[in-house]
Amino acid sequence: MSKAREALAQQLAEAVFQALTDDLNHQERVLLVVSGGSTPVPFFQALAAKPLPWSRIDITLADERWVDEQSSDSNARLVREHLLQGSAADANFIPLTCNTKTPEEGVEEIAKRTAGLAWPASVVILGMGSDGHTASLFPDSQELGLALATDEPLVAVRTPSQPQPRITFAAGKLHQAYRHILHITGEDKRAVLASALSGDDVRQLPIRAFLSCPLAIYWAP
């Protein structure tokens, strides 16, 4: 990993540490919403080392592939292996899958499970794909319009460009946060973000759904 990406992960971990600490000073529990993929791994490891009262912190994911948690494609597995380590293992982690065969069958149970978390979230950390998707809000998804507009917290998603069905928090639910952060790396993602900033068609580049709220951008080459 480049020194720039490692430094970015440390900076992001410090910012999230400060945010959670600030909120814990005036509320009993706080919620951190994270994203999967390879980009956040060094951030997870840096945050896990922070001296937080982890037992007062709820953690969940912005979205998840509907796979077994032992799968290498599982975002929950990623969180358990890289964030819920050491003292951070005391955090209350709520994954976004259950035992039903499909996300459509499981979405109601996951909605109940996540309803009791400490909303609004202290921090929502989003990633972004080269197609402009964030969470599982994909431009080619039939459920994109629903996920952008619904008052329901979660949406089951099937997308031609993705091999597995998914579950995602809807845009409206992800907006329920005190702070939004976009964590991306690479020149290609920088170009996609520049394109997103220069237009307003959310269906073309769904990350635009979050550009209207204050969005802290953490980027490294």
Side-chain angles (χ1 to χ4, degrees):
M1 178 182 304
S2 72
K3 287 184 178 179
R5 293 188 184 189
E6 180 59 40
L8 184 75
Q10 294 291 340
Q11 290 167 4
L12 179 54
E14 181 62 26
V16 172
F17 167 69
Q18 292 293 342
L20 296 176
T21 300
D22 289 349
D23 290 350
L24 283 163
N25 283 334
H26 56 81
Q27 59 192 77
E28 182 56 34
R29 300 197 63 78
V30 295
L31 171 61
L32 171 64
V33 180
V34 299
S35 294
S38 57
T39 302
V41 167
F43 156 67
F44 287 166
Q45 294 168 341
L47 185 62
K50 296 292 185 185
L52 284 158
W54 287 100
S55 62
R56 293 169 58 196
I57 297 174
D58 296 336
I59 300 173
T60 194
L61 288 152
D63 69 315
E64 178 63 282
R65 300 175 184 90
W66 203 258
V67 295
D68 185 272
E69 212 175 294
Q70 302 309 310
S71 167
S72 60
D73 289 332
S74 166
N75 287 337
R77 176 178 172 176
L78 192 82
V79 169
R80 291 189 193 280
E81 290 183 350
H82 297 287
L83 178 54
L84 303 179
Q85 296 293 321
S87 299
D90 291 339
N92 174 42
F93 175 56
I94 303 296
L96 297 187
T97 54
C98 60
N99 292 328
T100 61
K101 286 190 174 180
T102 68
E104 288 84 0
E105 293 171 285
V107 68
E108 190 173 334
E109 180 180 332
I110 303 299
K112 288 177 184 174
R113 194 187 291 174
T114 55
L117 298 175
W119 300 97
S122 285
V123 188
V124 168
I125 302 173
L126 299 168
M128 183 186 69
S130 55
D131 59 356
H133 86 267
T134 190
S136 281
L137 309 179
F138 287 90
D140 63 338
S141 166
Q142 287 187 328
E143 291 82 17
L144 178 60
L146 176 63
L148 290 171
T150 185
D151 290 331
E152 293 295 320
L154 292 139
V155 177
V157 174
R158 292 175 186 268
T159 301
S161 61
Q162 300 297 315
Q164 303 107 337
R166 293 173 174 243
I167 187 168
T168 187
F169 276 108
K173 193 65 177 177
L174 289 172
H175 276 122
Q176 293 178 23
Y178 298 126
R179 305 166 191 85
H180 293 85
I181 293 172
L182 177 62
H183 182 201
I184 53 175
T185 55
E187 293 294 345
D188 57 329
K189 301 282 181 73
R190 185 181 182 181
V192 173
L193 181 60
S195 179
L197 289 164
S198 67
D200 56 11
D201 183 351
V202 177
R203 287 173 171 269
Q204 181 192 20
L205 295 171
I207 187 62
R208 287 175 172 149
F210 298 93
L211 297 181
S212 58
C213 56
L215 182 68
I217 296 167
Y218 282 73
W219 173 84

